[in-house]
């Protein structure tokens, strides 16, 4: 029995170990640590959602940069911009009936899908009936719901992009998490609704009156001022919190929204936001939730998932457009295009917001491996 011929003794877990034949023993290598997003550091953001967020931010940032030219040219005030933006964003809710199956580990039977469609249609019909029965109260309720829906959509988008839960898991984090969630929802959902109401009253009130004649009177100057101050405080708190957390790019986003809706005429600003920001980000999340897109997104292919989504959304979008056209062109009962478009979209937003809130609470089926 001889010792290792090297100048240093062979070391293991304890003292030098004698070896035979002059050969050092093979050491076992520990496997590298796994990136779990907790103890070993956060996971990389999802590539598709990161690109969607950047695209929407560049689109609205470009529009904000062009706002002085738009003002000089007198563009952006036409309600047509609002109608076009709302219609372009219509498909983002057209596949709601498929989402429960995507988030489930099992296929939904036909009867369940039919029941979901029936319930969805019934809720939308109830919303449309509310606009006919009490348009003023229905419109104010819709504005409040829009703040919540837009805000929670962005909060969920950021959480899913960063591969973290929307809601805090630990009991001790619930109180702080609730405060952060409320401020974030107001910071992202408030600017598209509250800023135009407070700063563009001369242009917004005629649009509101076309949908609900008494709605502008319900939104007094004091209500609008208080709502604007609350939203601006939420934006400041959220931006400061994101900067402290090292998310400087996220901190810019609510400030960008305030700047956009404060300087760009509301018809153009709301239409662009709905199509290029809210709908774009939601469609990106839907592409990740469809299990048939997993392989394509993992390989960096976005074209096939987008074409698949277009096929899935085509029929429901066509039905909604047909209903809208019927309201506008029906002989003897023709409706003004703007109130009709607004009423149809508001009615569809009600079940859409409920389903999206349920999906956010349930969480994605599984994270797509595409980074």
């Amino acid at each position: 029995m001889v010792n290792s011929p090297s100048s240093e003794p062979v070391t293991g877990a304890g003292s030098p170990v004698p070896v035979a034949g002059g050969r050092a023993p093979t050491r076992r290598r520990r496997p590298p640590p796994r990136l779990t997003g907790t103890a070993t550091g956060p996971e990389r953001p999802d590539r598709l959602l990161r690109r969607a967020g950047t695209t929407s931010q560049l689109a609205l940032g470009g529009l904000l940069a062009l706002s002085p030219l738009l003002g000089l040219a007198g563009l952006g005030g036409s309600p047509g911009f609002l109608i076009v933006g709302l219609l372009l964003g219509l498909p983002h809710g057209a596949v709601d009936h498929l989402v429960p199956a995507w988030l489930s580990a099992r296929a939904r039977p036909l009867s369940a899908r039919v029941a979901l469609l029936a319930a969805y249609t019934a809720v939308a019909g109830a919303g449309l009936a509310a606009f006919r029965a009490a348009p003023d109260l229905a419109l104010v309720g819709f504005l409040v719901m829009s703040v919540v829906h837009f805000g929670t959509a962005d909060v969920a988008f950021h959480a899913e992009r960063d591969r973290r839960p929307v809601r805090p898991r630990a009991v001790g984090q619930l109180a702080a998490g609730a405060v952060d969630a409320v401020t974030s929802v107001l910071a992202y959902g408030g600017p598209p609704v509250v800023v135009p109401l407070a700063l563009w009253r001369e242009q917004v009130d005629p649009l509101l009156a076309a949908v609900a004649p008494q709605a502008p009177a319900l939104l007094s100057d004091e209500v609008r001022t208080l709502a604007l101050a609350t939203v601006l405080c939420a934006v400041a708190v959220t931006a400061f919190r994101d900067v402290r957390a090292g998310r400087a790019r996220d901190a810019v986003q609510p400030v960008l929204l305030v700047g956009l809706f404060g300087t760009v005429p509301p018809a153009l600003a709301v239409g662009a936001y709905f199509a290029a920001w809210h709908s774009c980000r939601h469609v990106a999340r839907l592409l990740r939730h469809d299990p048939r897109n997993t392989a394509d997104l993992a390989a960096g292919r976005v074209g096939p998932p987008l074409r698949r989504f277009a096929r899935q959304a085509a029929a429901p979008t066509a039905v909604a457009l047909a209903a809208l056209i019927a309201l506008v062109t029906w002989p003897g009962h023709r409706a003004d295009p703007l109130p009709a478009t607004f009423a149809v979209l508001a009615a569809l937003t009600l079940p859409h917001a409920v389903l999206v809130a349920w999906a956010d609470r349930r969480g994605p089926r599984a994270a797509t491996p595409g980074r």
Side-chain angles (χ1 to χ4, degrees):
M1 183 177 295
V2 295
N3 288 334
S4 170
S6 62
S7 58
E8 296 292 336
V10 178
T11 58
S15 57
V17 180
V19 297
R23 298 176 62 184
T26 303
R27 295 184 182 182
R28 294 183 178 179
R29 294 183 179 179
R30 294 182 180 180
R34 298 175 57 189
L35 294 179
T36 60
T38 54
T40 58
E43 295 192 53
R44 294 170 57 190
D46 179 84
R47 182 169 57 188
L48 173 65
L49 298 188
R50 186 174 65 245
R51 289 178 178 177
T54 300
T55 299
S56 60
Q57 198 167 344
L58 289 176
L60 296 196
L63 181 59
L64 176 59
L66 294 174
S67 60
L69 297 178
L70 295 174
L72 291 176
L75 298 176
S78 172
F81 288 107
L82 176 60
I83 294 177
V84 170
L86 295 178
L87 293 180
L88 287 177
L90 185 61
H92 88 279
V95 298
D96 285 349
H97 60 290
L98 302 176
V99 172
W102 291 348
L103 298 181
S104 177
R106 57 183 178 84
R108 298 273 175 152
L110 179 60
S111 58
R113 285 178 285 174
V114 171
L116 176 62
L117 280 173
Y120 197 96
T121 304
V123 174
L128 191 58
F131 263 90
R132 284 184 170 273
D136 306 310
L137 294 178
L139 179 57
V140 173
F142 171 74
L143 294 175
V144 174
M145 182 185 66
S146 297
V147 171
V148 176
H149 177 57
F150 290 153
T152 54
D154 272 324
V155 170
F157 174 85
H158 291 145
E160 192 171 332
R161 179 202 61 191
D162 298 337
R163 304 175 188 272
R164 53 183 170 83
V166 177
R167 296 177 300 155
R169 302 294 186 184
V171 176
Q173 297 175 343
L174 289 178
V179 174
D180 290 347
V182 170
T183 56
S184 297
V185 167
L186 290 176
Y188 281 97
V193 179
V194 175
V195 174
L197 286 173
L199 301 184
W200 295 87
R201 184 159 187 169
E202 292 183 357
Q203 294 194 25
V204 170
D205 283 3
L207 299 178
L208 295 179
V211 178
Q214 301 302 320
L218 294 177
L219 301 171
S220 63
D221 292 339
E222 293 77 11
V223 170
R224 302 187 197 212
T225 302
L226 178 60
L228 179 62
T230 303
V231 168
L232 292 180
C233 289
V235 168
V237 171
T238 301
F240 178 73
R241 185 171 61 237
D242 285 338
V243 169
R244 289 193 61 184
R247 299 188 297 265
R249 292 182 62 182
D250 286 351
V252 172
Q253 295 184 28
V255 178
L256 168 63
L257 293 178
V258 171
L260 176 77
F261 290 100
T263 59
V264 177
L268 177 57
V270 173
Y273 166 83
F274 189 72
W277 185 287
H278 178 70
S279 300
C280 174
R281 294 181 171 206
H282 186 72
V283 168
R285 295 182 66 200
L286 292 175
L287 296 184
R288 292 185 72 253
H289 293 171
D290 188 348
R292 290 179 295 178
N293 295 334
T294 301
D296 287 324
L297 295 180
R301 297 187 296 266
V302 182
L306 282 175
R307 289 191 292 271
R308 187 175 293 115
F309 171 80
R311 291 192 298 269
Q312 294 164 338
T317 302
V319 171
L321 288 176
L324 176 60
I325 293 173
L327 285 175
V328 174
T329 63
W330 194 265
H333 299 280
R334 293 183 179 180
D336 189 338
L338 178 61
T341 301
F342 195 91
V344 169
L345 291 177
L348 292 174
T349 298
L350 180 58
H352 170 71
V354 172
L355 189 139
V356 171
W358 171 85
D360 291 340
R361 185 177 182 85
R362 181 183 179 91
R365 179 183 57 88
T368 304
R371 296 182 184 179

